[in-house]
Amino acid sequence: MISRRALLAGLGVVPTSILLDGADAVAAPWVRQDNTVRAWGNVMLIGDSTTTGYLGHLVRSLRASDLGPYRCDLQSARSMHRYNRRYPSAVQAVRNARRNGYDPSAYVIAVGANDLRYGTRTPQAATTMFDTILSEIGTERTVGICTIYATRPSGAIRFNRYLDEAAQRWPNLHIINWAALARRNRPWHKPDGYHYTLSGARRRNAFLITAMRDMAITEWNRQNPPPPTTDPGGTTSGSTPESTPG
């Protein structure tokens, strides 16, 4: 007989019992949107409970930044793509934003800790995880996905390796290397190995706001490539001079 957990996994459903913080998770996502046009936008941050450690600081930092318009959608126990009726996935966050008239040109995704068990168990599962969210967003958007680090044994190394492989398939995907910074600062982590102290949460907030700005700039540069220039010899930059028959 197939177990309930195996059946749910086959259907693409995450049982609450295996979620990183499913027992204490809040079902309603924390959403903040600011439509003010500032220097760099239009960008959306999608996160899970690893980004809800110090929301007051996040709000103040966003207000003080040069980002806008922006939208943040943070949800405890969030999966990248797997459906859970209580906790909307990152895919559902994209759909909800668009349903409410917000369709950003750039994304920062800090999700994946709840996918370390099922989403990284095989290369095929990882391909499905990343390709599902990236297909939902589309190729005409700039997407940054954060690497994961945990101070305890986990599937984070596999997640990061599969993320690197996904970037080879998706030219619009950029890797945001949070793991490299977190690895050097283990005291930022709480004893569970995944979540952050107030000090760590402040650093993570600052890191993600910088990542949001970077992705907005990257998208702006993609939409506004520099015009070709001509050097004094008459050669257009980026082009190959025509050969002259001998």
Side-chain angles (χ1 to χ4, degrees):
M1 180 180 292
I2 300 176
S3 68
R4 179 176 180 272
R5 177 168 293 181
L7 177 60
L8 290 173
L11 294 174
V13 178
V14 179
T16 301
S17 60
I18 63 92
L19 293 170
L20 179 63
D21 49 1
D24 303 317
V26 177
W30 182 90
V31 178
R32 292 293 184 276
Q33 182 172 321
D34 187 337
N35 294 321
T36 305
V37 177
R38 299 187 178 90
W40 300 110
N42 193 350
V43 60
M44 181 173 180
L45 170 64
I46 301 175
D48 56 22
S49 63
T50 62
T51 309
T52 61
Y54 196 170
L55 291 176
H57 176 264
L58 178 62
V59 170
R60 292 191 297 273
S61 299
L62 282 166
R63 288 175 178 168
S65 73
D66 56 358
L67 290 171
Y70 65 79
R71 178 181 174 98
C72 297
D73 186 320
L74 311 180
Q75 169 66 63
S76 298
R78 165 167 280 161
S79 169
M80 186 78 75
H81 70 300
R82 290 175 176 271
Y83 174 77
N84 181 290
R85 59 190 177 86
R86 291 188 63 190
Y87 312 118
S89 67
V91 169
Q92 291 168 275
V94 174
R95 293 174 181 172
N96 289 340
R98 289 172 172 169
R99 190 178 299 119
N100 285 283
Y102 190 82
D103 189 12
S105 55
Y107 289 82
V108 170
I109 300 177
V111 174
N114 289 295
D115 296 293
L116 296 183
R117 182 167 183 175
Y118 286 129
T120 66
R121 70 184 188 276
T122 66
Q124 293 76 18
T127 296
T128 298
M129 174 176 63
F130 289 118
D131 287 5
T132 299
I133 183 64
L134 291 164
S135 296
E136 185 69 34
I137 292 172
T139 58
E140 295 304 312
R141 301 288 187 273
T142 292
V143 183
I145 298 181
C146 294
T147 56
I148 294 176
Y149 176 74
T151 59
R152 59 190 299 177
S154 70
I157 293 175
R158 293 195 307 273
F159 179 97
N160 297 338
R161 183 175 72 248
Y162 291 136
L163 175 59
D164 184 66
E165 293 174 3
Q168 308 306 311
R169 300 191 304 272
W170 294 85
N172 63 319
L173 171 59
H174 301 264
I175 297 175
I176 301 171
N177 199 357
W178 166 253
L181 180 61
R183 189 179 298 111
R184 299 195 301 269
N185 294 278
R186 291 173 65 91
W188 291 354
H189 296 78
K190 289 184 175 181
D192 68 6
Y194 294 93
H195 297 93
Y196 301 95
T197 64
L198 282 181
S199 178
R202 287 172 62 94
R203 270 67 174 189
R204 184 168 170 86
N205 289 343
F207 179 90
L208 291 175
I209 288 174
T210 297
M212 292 170 72
R213 186 176 187 271
D214 289 346
M215 292 302 100
I217 292 173
T218 298
E219 174 62 17
W220 189 92
N221 287 334
R222 187 188 70 82
Q223 295 184 17
N224 300 273
T229 58
T230 303
D231 65 23
T235 301
T236 300
S237 175
S239 65
T240 302
E242 294 183 357
S243 61
T244 303

